[in-house]
Amino acid sequence: MSKDRSNVTALLDDAPSYSRQTQGGIFIVIKGPDRGEAVRLTNNGQAVSFGSGPNCSLVLTDKTVSRKHVEAQLIGDEVMMIDCGSTNGTFIQGSRFERISIGFGAEIKLGRTVIKFLPDEEIVDPEPSQQAAFGTIVGGDTKMRQMFTLLEEVGATNATVLIEGETGTGKELIAEEIHNHSPRKDGPFVVFDCGSVPRELIESMLFGHVKGSFTGAITDRRGAFAEAHGGTIFLDEIGEMALDLQPSLLRVLDKRAVRKVGSNTYEKIDVRVVAATNRDLRAEVAKKAFREDLYYRLAVIRVSVPPLRERGSDIPLLINHFVNTFGPGLTVTPEDMARLVRHSWPGNVRELRNVMERACLLARGNTINLEDALVSEAAPSLGIRTDLPFKEAKGQLVEMFEREYIEDLMRRHKMNLSAAAREAQIDRKHLRELIRKYGLDPRHKLDGDADGDVSDD
């Protein structure tokens, strides 16, 4: 088996819209004289071996490595590492082993060399569905119809799915439709919001507890995983889970068993896991704010939901869908339709849905009442959205403030980064990040100078 020098460390690159992990994975040398060398473990039935001997799959020049030091085998769904009688031994997390099952993110030390096991991720580019809907999800945009094709295929499996997308893009609805199109559709669909549960109660609510395990535990309680037995558990806002709680979740995903708080025994569970986040989990992994091995465990199938602004052609389709839902028989004037299409929809489909529901409820005659619906959308003084969850409304307000503040600041300083940072009393690097975050390209937007650019002193 030849060495593979492909870029297997692409974790921090811009992620594709849809991807899946293939069976097996990639071993890459991250420490030692052969750093960067890699080899793939596939499902062709062949083991891969590591050592200094010329017949090994990955030949190492480290003189402290035996001729055939260790090998990896794919046995069913498990990847087994087997020491081949090496002189100096093989270690994981400082412990020597002869035979061990490993997961993605595992680091194996042999001699002075460290090898890391990573998933072999392939980009999925499905053919667009012929349908403009998937269950209750509506969309005629190519990306949406590609997603419908993928969801149809994924629904029939038990694969763990990670759904990424901005707030309001319909991640929970997608998770529910995955469940509805699966063999588990007659089982429970349990939603657990990792961002809304107090930190000290998460383990109890996820895994359950036994009576007397902590103050207030007056009876035994089943957790969300046990309640989802035979069905699907949807872990919403998984990126909000505290770092020190993530190992407990990882153990459940690996063992397919839960241990209640205060118990010493494990209870087997049969659940399909779908998780969602509005964060960039790859960036969170890079910042060490999210466990790398948990990310790999969740992103077996990865789906990125496009925001509404990237599928503007879907807005008329969605408007008609919501009018048929909330006000059958009502019509939308061409002027109202144009106004709705022009709107930026920072709250995505959820915001559009809320506006259309109000416009139908406030209708006068046979046309929607968009004027009053949009006026009631925000508190006029600050643009505060009281129809959204607190965290989401606050986030939108902060983004609006940042954008307007930075636009005016950079315009007044003629795009001089250093001068603007001094006045704002913020670090230049942070200011540059904000400029990039909001796409404030001076050549297009700020001072009308077609040749403008962000400059230092």
Side-chain angles (χ1 to χ4, degrees):
M1 188 172 295
S2 61
K3 293 177 182 177
D4 189 329
R5 297 175 181 270
S6 62
N7 180 16
V8 296
T9 56
L11 179 64
L12 301 183
D13 292 349
D14 288 339
S17 295
Y18 315 112
S19 64
R20 79 174 86 214
Q21 296 169 6
T22 60
Q23 197 172 25
I26 298 175
F27 290 93
I28 180 170
V29 179
I30 61 170
K31 185 177 180 181
D34 304 291
R35 182 173 179 176
E37 299 288 359
V39 67
R40 273 182 168 84
L41 175 67
T42 65
N43 61 353
N44 64 2
Q46 294 183 5
V48 295
S49 55
F50 309 84
S52 57
N55 295 325
C56 288
S57 309
L58 186 56
V59 180
L60 302 169
T61 60
D62 184 350
K63 296 185 184 304
T64 60
V65 169
S66 298
R67 289 183 64 79
K68 186 177 180 182
H69 198 109
V70 66
E71 72 174 17
Q73 298 178 2
L74 185 61
I75 303 174
D77 292 330
E78 280 193 310
V79 175
M80 300 296 301
M81 295 296 295
I82 303 163
D83 183 86
C84 301
S86 65
T87 301
N88 292 319
T90 314
F91 300 81
I92 284 186
Q93 295 181 339
S95 298
R96 186 168 181 166
F97 68 87
E98 293 184 0
R99 182 184 181 95
I100 192 171
S101 173
I102 65 169
F104 295 131
E107 296 183 5
I108 304 98
K109 188 174 187 297
L110 47 159
R112 296 190 179 94
T113 295
V114 178
I115 296 172
K116 189 167 188 173
F117 184 53
L118 297 173
D120 191 3
E121 186 181 63
E122 65 177 8
I123 296 173
V124 180
D125 189 22
E127 286 292 322
S129 169
Q130 296 301 309
Q131 306 300 318
F134 181 71
T136 55
I137 308 168
V138 175
D141 178 83
T142 301
K143 276 190 177 180
M144 292 298 290
R145 290 187 293 112
Q146 281 185 305
M147 186 177 73
F148 296 162
T149 299
L150 178 61
L151 294 179
E152 187 80 49
E153 295 174 2
V154 168
T157 73
N158 271 319
T160 303
V161 181
L162 176 64
I163 306 168
E164 297 182 330
E166 295 179 8
T167 300
T169 49
K171 297 185 290 295
E172 182 176 338
L173 196 59
I174 291 170
E176 191 165 3
E177 288 302 337
I178 290 174
H179 172 75
N180 291 339
H181 286 76
S182 77
R184 297 172 174 268
K185 62 184 179 182
D186 295 326
F189 177 75
V190 175
V191 178
F192 186 87
D193 188 343
C194 301
S196 65
V197 178
R199 183 184 176 284
E200 61 275 13
L201 294 179
I202 280 189
E203 287 190 289
S204 169
M205 296 186 71
L206 265 180
F207 314 133
H209 64 251
V210 297
K211 180 180 178 180
S213 55
F214 55 86
T215 303
I218 56 176
T219 61
D220 286 2
R221 173 182 174 138
R222 301 175 73 210
F225 271 96
E227 290 173 356
H229 184 76
T232 303
I233 185 169
F234 174 52
L235 302 174
D236 198 10
E237 301 298 351
I238 189 67
E240 306 299 321
M241 179 173 279
L243 193 61
D244 60 338
L245 296 175
Q246 293 175 19
S248 298
L249 176 59
L250 182 63
R251 280 193 294 274
V252 172
L253 297 179
D254 285 339
K255 290 178 176 288
R256 292 291 159 170
V258 295
R259 186 178 67 182
K260 292 181 177 180
V261 176
S263 173
N264 294 320
T265 60
Y266 280 89
E267 174 188 348
K268 282 288 184 183
I269 51 165
D270 173 26
V271 296
R272 196 228 185 114
V273 177
V274 179
T277 180
N278 60 12
R279 292 175 179 256
D280 181 348
L281 284 193
R282 293 178 174 228
E284 296 296 300
V285 169
K287 293 188 297 186
K288 302 199 180 302
F290 197 86
R291 286 184 63 109
E292 183 181 30
D293 46 5
L294 179 56
Y295 170 79
Y296 293 140
R297 196 66 184 79
L298 293 169
V300 177
I301 304 290
R302 198 187 133 277
V303 176
S304 179
V305 190
L308 189 54
R309 63 180 175 276
E310 290 182 7
R311 53 183 186 110
S313 60
D314 274 349
I315 293 177
L317 182 68
L318 288 164
I319 288 169
N320 290 328
H321 170 71
F322 291 136
V323 168
N324 288 335
T325 302
F326 301 120
L330 293 177
T331 60
V332 181
T333 66
E335 294 78 15
D336 283 348
M337 182 66 78
R339 185 176 177 185
L340 288 165
V341 169
R342 287 195 306 269
H343 192 70
S344 60
W345 303 113
N348 290 296
V349 178
R350 181 189 294 158
E351 181 184 1
L352 175 59
R353 180 187 188 279
N354 291 343
V355 167
M356 294 310 300
E357 184 175 11
R358 284 195 299 273
C360 291
L361 290 174
L362 299 172
R364 298 166 183 164
N366 63 350
T367 60
I368 65 168
N369 182 356
L370 185 60
E371 195 65 37
D372 288 342
L374 285 175
V375 167
S376 62
E377 176 189 3
S381 59
L382 291 174
I384 297 172
R385 294 286 307 280
T386 57
D387 63 315
L388 298 176
F390 173 81
K391 184 170 66 173
E392 185 178 338
K394 180 182 176 183
Q396 287 192 16
L397 186 61
V398 169
E399 284 193 7
M400 182 175 66
F401 160 75
E402 287 182 343
R403 180 188 293 276
E404 293 187 5
Y405 182 95
I406 299 303
E407 275 191 11
D408 185 67
L409 177 73
M410 298 307 294
R411 183 184 294 111
R412 287 189 292 103
H413 287 281
K414 301 187 184 303
M415 297 310 296
N416 186 299
L417 192 71
S418 298
R422 279 197 298 271
E423 178 182 306
Q425 298 181 22
I426 58 177
D427 182 75
R428 283 193 315 163
K429 181 179 179 182
H430 181 49
L431 179 56
R432 190 182 292 277
E433 287 174 352
L434 287 171
I435 291 170
R436 287 173 179 161
K437 176 181 178 181
Y438 295 111
L440 303 182
D441 187 339
R443 292 168 297 182
H444 301 147
K445 193 159 188 173
L446 291 178
D447 57 10
D449 180 1
D451 299 319
D453 201 355
V454 176
S455 65
D456 294 319
D457 280 338

